[in-house]
Amino acid sequence: MYDMKALYEAESTADAVRLLMEHPQARIIAGGSDVLVQMREGKLAGAELVSIYGLDELRGVKMEEDGTLRIGSLTSFSHITKSELIQKNIRVLGEAVDQVGGPQIRNIGTIGGNTCNGVTSADSASTLFAWDAVIELIGPEGIRKLPIQEFYIRAGQVDLRQGEIQTGILIAKESYEGYQGHYIKYAMRNAMDIATLGCSVNVKLSQDKKRFEDVRIAYGVAGPVPMRAYHAEEKGRGAKISADIIEEIGSTVAQDIMPRDSWRASKAFREHIAAVLCKRALKESIIRSGGAVV
């Protein structure tokens, strides 16, 4: 069923790096929900695979001493959704990954695999952009950390160098403390469908809940890679909460996004729903933060 040249089982992260250096054409496999599909389609015929699925040290959600949330790259979507730390601090990420495929995919699929694919439609990606996530990698030269915005290079390509594996996703305390958010996935079907467009919003309100202290707006399928709507964010930052400012922020996202025509949706339709989803996600994020739109 699967045409592969060899399968190597890594015993540790260091062993995985060694195997990748010894077999430079090998592909990493974790849950296999993407790689095995590609193999069945013949796209990876005769591939060498390095399995890291047995590395339990890369699983789980933990809080480090400085308050940083650490999500192991082998953590499944189901475990992320159920994590008490996720539910308490960044609930929207759990809600986003709970929209990936069906239960079977969520049980086996990993957040590391989802981000390393480099696809703009990944439900976790735009949400992690909105949390200012940092990607942790380990390779022959040691540990490397870089903002998720720098990890995504172009459609289907991430900054994963020879011999490197992704070990974790980090979200600093200052990136989540005081924030509430909401993710909306627009798709042609309600279940088991790739996003036509995804919008993830986080807001931090002033103490009196009347103003935006900070706004973060991120999109999937609004360009070749997930992206932030920086002009729209700046429009809202420091502004008094009102229906008018939400309309203005929604209109401003057109300055940041770069959707394209595809069989799923036209560029014009994606531009339209980008504004609509932004406004809806903003309103829900405000409510979750204890504010109100008047």
Side-chain angles (χ1 to χ4, degrees):
M1 184 181 294
Y2 297 108
D3 180 6
M4 67 179 74
K5 180 179 179 181
L7 173 65
Y8 309 102
E9 291 277 355
E11 297 179 355
S12 65
T13 54
D15 191 40
V17 171
R18 177 188 65 81
L19 287 167
L20 289 171
M21 294 302 291
E22 290 179 358
H23 307 278
Q25 301 304 315
R27 293 283 301 268
I28 284 286
I29 183 171
S33 56
D34 291 307
V35 171
L36 293 180
V37 171
Q38 293 177 38
M39 293 186 73
R40 289 191 67 176
E41 293 174 346
K43 296 177 181 178
L44 294 176
E48 293 179 276
L49 302 178
V50 174
S51 174
I52 61 171
Y53 193 70
L55 306 184
D56 287 338
E57 64 265 34
L58 300 185
R59 286 187 172 85
V61 181
K62 302 174 183 177
M63 182 174 287
E64 298 182 344
E65 289 185 5
D66 63 356
T68 296
L69 284 171
R70 177 187 182 86
I71 306 170
S73 292
L74 289 185
T75 309
S76 70
F77 300 125
S78 295
H79 280 94
I80 289 172
T81 300
K82 296 174 183 177
S83 165
E84 292 183 5
L85 287 171
I86 296 293
Q87 289 296 319
K88 179 180 178 180
N89 297 288
I90 51 172
R91 181 174 57 151
V92 63
L93 178 60
E95 294 171 346
V97 300
D98 203 36
Q99 299 182 52
V100 177
Q104 297 94 333
I105 295 295
R106 294 194 293 272
N107 286 339
I108 196 70
T110 64
I111 195 164
N114 203 224
T115 50
C116 285
N117 273 339
V119 295
T120 184
S121 58
D123 294 299
S124 67
S126 57
T127 306
L128 290 170
F129 267 66
W131 286 117
D132 281 336
V134 172
I135 303 297
E136 181 187 81
L137 309 158
I138 189 167
E141 297 180 1
I143 295 174
R144 188 164 65 99
K145 298 179 182 180
L146 68 163
I148 194 168
Q149 291 92 333
E150 297 177 17
F151 185 59
Y152 281 76
I153 298 174
R154 60 180 64 93
Q157 183 179 355
V158 295
D159 187 5
L160 197 60
R161 301 173 184 174
Q162 180 61 49
E164 282 188 331
I165 64 170
Q166 187 197 109
T167 51
I169 297 171
L170 312 175
I171 301 175
K173 185 177 181 179
E174 57 267 25
S175 295
Y176 68 81
E177 191 171 52
Y179 287 84
Q180 292 291 335
H182 187 52
Y183 172 73
I184 303 177
K185 174 180 179 176
Y186 184 93
M188 296 174 69
R189 298 179 297 173
N190 289 331
M192 297 185 70
D193 200 2
I194 296 172
T196 302
L197 191 124
C199 178
S200 193
V201 170
N202 287 328
V203 303
K204 184 177 184 180
L205 304 187
S206 59
Q207 191 171 4
D208 63 4
K209 308 298 183 183
K210 301 295 185 182
R211 292 184 177 274
F212 292 111
E213 279 194 12
D214 195 16
V215 180
R216 302 197 202 112
I217 304 166
Y219 285 97
V221 209
V225 296
M227 58 180 57
R228 288 274 291 273
Y230 290 113
H231 288 92
E233 293 176 355
E234 188 59 33
K235 174 69 70 172
R237 200 167 287 122
K240 183 178 179 181
I241 297 171
S242 68
D244 288 341
I245 192 61
I246 290 175
E247 287 291 327
E248 289 182 35
I249 294 170
S251 298
T252 306
V253 300
Q255 298 181 30
D256 299 288
I257 62 175
M258 299 178 292
R260 64 179 179 88
D261 291 315
S262 76
W263 69 269
R264 290 182 179 276
S266 67
K267 174 182 177 181
F269 181 69
R270 284 194 169 101
E271 289 174 336
H272 169 70
I273 61 173
V276 172
L277 297 191
C278 175
K279 290 182 282 189
R280 291 180 181 176
L282 271 171
K283 290 176 183 177
E284 179 62 25
S285 298
I286 291 166
I287 292 170
R288 292 184 175 192
S289 298
V293 180
V294 293

